[in-house]
């Protein structure tokens, strides 16, 4: 998956869960690390809900934005 976005009018209706739940189940079954990046700090709690943890924060050059690198590691903190 390259990008995940939910339009405002569809937020809170379980669409992220419909994608993340089977994806992470497959990661658990195959013992595969799953990573993602976001530049939106308000998204961090959503991903943390699915046991992703921030592993690195990268300031973007010439910008006030930061890139949050997150990882889901099967078997860790589940």
């Amino acid at each position: 998956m390259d990008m995940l976005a939910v339009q405002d009018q569809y937020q809170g209706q379980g669409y992220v869960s419909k994608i993340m739940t089977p994806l992470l189940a497959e990661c658990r079954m195959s013992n595969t690390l799953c990573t993602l990046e976001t530049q939106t700090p308000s998204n961090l709690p959503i991903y943390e809900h699915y046991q992703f943890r921030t592993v690195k924060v990268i300031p973007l050059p010439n910008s006030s934005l930061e890139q949050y690198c997150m990882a889901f590691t099967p078997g860790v903190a589940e």
Side-chain angles (χ1 to χ4, degrees):
M1 176 170 39
D2 184 46
M3 183 179 290
L4 174 63
V6 179
Q7 294 178 340
D8 291 343
Q9 68 265 32
Y10 300 110
Q11 291 180 2
Q13 297 181 34
Y15 291 106
V16 171
S17 184
K18 288 180 182 186
I19 293 169
M20 296 298 279
T21 300
L23 170 70
L24 298 178
E26 179 63 31
C27 289
R28 286 183 188 98
M29 281 190 348
S30 62
N31 198 34
T32 301
L33 174 72
C34 183
T35 63
L36 64 83
E37 297 176 346
T38 184
Q39 295 173 357
T40 309
S42 61
N43 287 345
L44 297 177
I46 297 167
Y47 297 125
E48 289 168 348
H49 171 78
Y50 293 100
Q51 284 81 45
F52 280 86
R53 299 294 171 245
T54 301
V55 293
K56 190 169 187 175
V57 179
I58 303 169
L60 299 179
N62 304 315
S63 172
S64 61
L65 294 175
E66 295 179 310
Q67 186 80 17
Y68 299 88
C69 304
M70 304 184 79
F72 169 85
T73 306
V76 175
E78 291 188 60

